[in-house]
Amino acid sequence: MTMFQTTQNSRPRLALGRRAIVNGALGLVLLGGAACRAKAYPGDLSVRDLGARGDGRSDDTRAFQTALDRLGGGGVLRVPPGRYRVDQVAVRHRGIRVQLDAGAVLVKHGAAGVRSRGIFVLDGLHDARFELVGGTVDLNGEGPRAIGTPGRIPNQYSHLTIASVRGISGPANAAIFARRSSDVAVSGVHILNSGESGLLFRNCGRVTVRDCVFDNIANYGIELSLTVPEADGGSGAMPLRNDVSITGCRFNGMDDYALGSGNGGGIGGGGAGTGLGALRNYRISDCRFERCHRDIHFEFLRGSWLEQFAFERLRSIEPRQGSIGLVGARHGVISDVTIEDPGSAPAALLIPARPEIFGIVLSQDFSDILLRNIAITDRRTGRQFEGGGATIDRGSSVLTVNRPAFEPDDAGRWIGIAGGNPGQAAYVGRIDRVASASRVELDLPAGASVRGGRFAVGGTARNGIILNGGGNVTFENVRVAAGNAGDAQGANDAAAIRLQDTTGTIRFSGVDLAAPGGRWTKPAGLLLVRNRARLVGADGIRATGFARARSELR
């Protein structure tokens, strides 16, 4: 064991000011939470009474629009069990609750295109007090487990684990598409199968999402974005773009791996433009993410940022690139987070740019962040390798390569296949069985034929935690067993914790680092690259299994 001797006896404290930290927890204002205000429903309609059939064949869009328009004074629109094909309906009145009974499914209907952005559309509706509750919304799109012709949205490959076609037009056919609106709540809804997002909020405030499940969505389960007014396509004045609460939700298979846009995740968004100001009072808690590209990802340009946030009690299982990524964030707490096997997809091997694979990353103009009770674990000890000449037939589970590459122990490991077909589709799945050194059987059949494609096997977490281009961060009770060079070249720029171009003060208390396994592992416990920050408590970091517990590159 390599020990950094403790030099600080006092417990580190993150001084974020009265706005941000109160007794060690984030003091989010939320004004009663982001939930909608108390409602009185004067009306109560069944969509069946307005002519909806719910037979899975008829177009029920007109019935839904008529019902919403009749609830001019607010009320409940009840949706009995059935499959309702709905294109797009406008929510024009305040105080409406759409209640989907158990067994009620809304299926997105209509041609794909930028004019068809969602089922329920809110535009410039402040104090909307709109609720969507219960049931299922099938957005009928090409999510990560789909493959087909770009621009179409047939839901015919949902049983496959095939990443989407590169270049799919993928309109944001969300269950709710809201612009310049506020007071929207979604609870107990299963949202699935979208080539874009599950819920899309653009320049919105006071949003609550609770106890929902998001499944097979190519971009974000929940997208929350700032844009310049002339680019959001909305009308009316801007609301306060603050106060978001997301609790008790599950996100499965959020991934745009083959789209190549670098997005894809459970919850995310950011600012499409500079100088847009802040998104404030964000709480994400008690959520589970499984096999998403990223779990939480917000990215802002200069003059835009996420401020006063708390991400609490989260569990991440096999994120394909990383779990939490924030570009431009201030005054926040990330606490009680467990991340297992980040970097599950072999993206670092397949993508020439070799992107960073991580557990948590804070980048560009971040400040005053507390990382508390964090556990990042990379349990994989297998090799990572890549090659070419991959061939597989559409509908087949058998993959062959032109040179021997596989070993019996590769069964059960992640494999990625890219290129080698007109659509440049990619497959991301697991090896079910190794038949020979050049032939394996996959867990599920491919959705496109591949001839001479590239392949890569094995995931790796290149860094456990990355801080890049900001400062004033406190680590409190943080355990990292990750940080793998992750390529055949054995590049020595990986670490359990990597500080690069950091400033201000970085505090450590109760930090425990352990080197992961892996053939190409040459990481440092704490890696400093052009670090200008003052390190407090770094001598107390416990580091196990590293050739060098601390490494400095200047």
Side-chain angles (χ1 to χ4, degrees):
M1 174 181 292
T2 302
M3 298 287 291
F4 297 166
Q5 298 299 320
T6 303
T7 59
Q8 299 293 323
N9 296 321
S10 60
R11 184 181 181 88
R13 180 171 55 86
L14 188 61
L16 305 187
R18 288 179 296 175
R19 291 185 306 162
I21 300 294
V22 179
N23 294 329
L26 191 64
L28 297 181
V29 181
L30 288 186
L31 301 175
C36 298
R37 301 169 187 172
K39 309 167 190 64
Y41 295 114
D44 191 337
L45 295 175
S46 169
V47 73
R48 294 281 187 133
D49 295 338
L50 279 301
R53 296 187 178 183
D55 57 11
R57 299 183 302 274
S58 304
D59 184 350
D60 291 323
T61 305
R62 179 174 295 182
F64 273 81
Q65 187 65 71
T66 300
L68 292 174
D69 290 342
R70 286 196 180 182
L71 293 172
V76 178
L77 175 59
R78 301 194 178 277
V79 183
R83 291 182 66 83
Y84 301 85
R85 299 180 70 198
V86 183
D87 185 356
Q88 178 176 291
V89 292
V91 179
R92 303 185 178 100
H93 304 298
R94 295 174 174 82
I96 293 177
R97 173 174 180 167
V98 177
Q99 177 72 57
L100 303 180
D101 289 347
V105 181
L106 303 187
V107 181
K108 183 68 175 73
H109 170 60
V114 296
R115 295 183 180 180
S116 177
R117 304 309 299 262
I119 293 181
F120 297 100
V121 178
L122 289 77
D123 184 10
L125 196 62
H126 294 206
D127 188 28
R129 289 168 286 125
F130 175 75
E131 284 188 282
L132 178 63
V133 180
T136 298
V137 179
D138 184 345
L139 294 167
N140 198 25
E142 293 181 332
R145 292 193 298 273
I147 195 151
T149 304
R152 296 178 59 205
I153 53 170
N155 186 16
Q156 57 183 321
Y157 298 103
S158 61
H159 63 291
L160 304 179
T161 58
I162 311 300
S164 301
V165 170
R166 193 178 291 274
I168 182 176
S169 60
N173 286 320
I176 295 175
F177 176 38
R179 297 169 295 191
R180 305 191 194 183
S181 299
S182 63
D183 288 273
V184 178
V186 185
S187 62
V189 184
H190 184 191
I191 301 174
L192 69 160
N193 299 335
S194 174
E196 248 288 340
S197 297
L199 298 170
L200 176 56
F201 300 96
R202 188 165 292 167
N203 287 331
C204 291
R206 298 186 64 90
V207 172
T208 297
V209 184
R210 178 170 53 87
D211 299 329
C212 292
V213 177
F214 299 84
D215 190 15
N216 189 36
I217 294 174
N219 197 20
Y220 287 112
I222 306 171
E223 182 176 349
L224 305 127
S225 298
L226 295 177
T227 62
V228 293
E230 56 269 24
D232 69 0
S235 60
M238 288 286 185
L240 288 176
R241 298 169 295 182
N242 302 332
D243 302 336
V244 171
S245 175
I246 301 169
T247 60
C249 294
R250 296 186 61 176
F251 302 85
N252 307 307
M254 309 290 106
D255 192 357
D256 71 346
Y257 182 81
L259 298 180
S261 70
N263 293 320
I267 306 166
T274 60
L276 299 176
L279 291 175
R280 290 190 176 91
N281 285 355
Y282 269 48
R283 170 166 281 131
I284 302 172
S285 63
D286 301 290
C287 293
R288 176 187 174 102
F289 305 85
E290 188 162 355
R291 298 174 187 168
C292 301
H293 183 143
R294 299 168 180 169
D295 300 326
I296 299 172
H297 179 75
F298 287 92
E299 185 168 349
F300 297 89
L301 301 177
R302 294 284 181 182
S304 311
W305 59 89
L306 179 68
E307 185 174 75
Q308 293 176 239
F309 64 91
F311 302 157
E312 306 168 309
R313 298 180 301 280
L314 309 176
R315 184 177 181 187
S316 167
I317 300 173
E318 295 186 340
R320 290 187 173 174
Q321 181 179 15
S323 180
I324 298 175
L326 303 179
V327 180
R330 304 176 183 176
H331 306 296
V333 174
I334 301 174
S335 69
D336 301 288
V337 176
T338 300
I339 303 170
E340 302 173 14
D341 294 341
S344 62
L349 301 175
L350 272 178
I351 300 175
R354 308 265 182 193
E356 292 290 1
I357 311 297
F358 54 86
I360 296 174
V361 59
L362 305 177
S363 182
Q364 297 180 24
D365 198 28
F366 63 86
S367 65
D368 300 319
I369 310 294
L370 171 62
L371 301 175
R372 180 178 59 202
N373 300 336
I374 309 293
I376 303 174
T377 305
D378 187 349
R379 300 164 297 183
R380 295 158 297 192
T381 58
R383 62 200 180 105
Q384 296 86 39
F385 63 97
E386 57 188 306
T391 297
I392 186 171
D393 293 328
R394 179 173 180 172
S396 173
S397 299
V398 178
L399 170 74
T400 60
V401 298
N402 58 8
R403 293 182 181 179
F406 301 105
E407 298 176 357
D409 289 345
D410 293 329
R413 302 181 61 208
W414 283 95
I415 185 169
I417 307 165
N421 59 70
Q424 294 297 301
Y427 176 100
V428 179
R430 291 185 186 276
I431 298 172
D432 188 55
R433 188 176 76 90
V434 178
S436 70
S438 58
R439 183 174 178 271
V440 296
E441 295 180 9
L442 307 176
D443 57 346
L444 288 172
S449 297
V450 175
R451 296 289 182 269
R454 294 179 298 112
F455 74 93
V457 175
T460 181
R462 194 170 180 83
N463 294 273
I465 298 176
I466 305 171
L467 307 185
N468 183 9
N472 295 334
V473 175
T474 291
F475 293 81
E476 183 178 301
N477 190 24
V478 173
R479 291 175 172 80
V480 180
N484 193 328
D487 57 44
Q489 290 75 34
N492 189 25
D493 60 353
I497 296 177
R498 174 174 176 159
L499 308 183
Q500 181 167 328
D501 297 314
T502 48
T503 58
T505 301
I506 311 295
R507 299 178 182 273
F508 302 90
S509 175
V511 175
D512 193 341
L513 310 178
R519 180 173 300 182
W520 309 114
T521 299
K522 290 184 180 179
L526 177 64
L527 178 63
L528 307 178
V529 182
R530 298 185 299 274
N531 173 64
R532 299 187 301 277
R534 183 171 68 100
L535 306 185
V536 177
D539 290 340
I541 296 175
R542 293 179 295 177
T544 307
F546 297 98
R548 289 176 295 178
R550 175 167 172 168
S551 179
E552 299 196 24
L553 301 178
R554 299 184 183 277

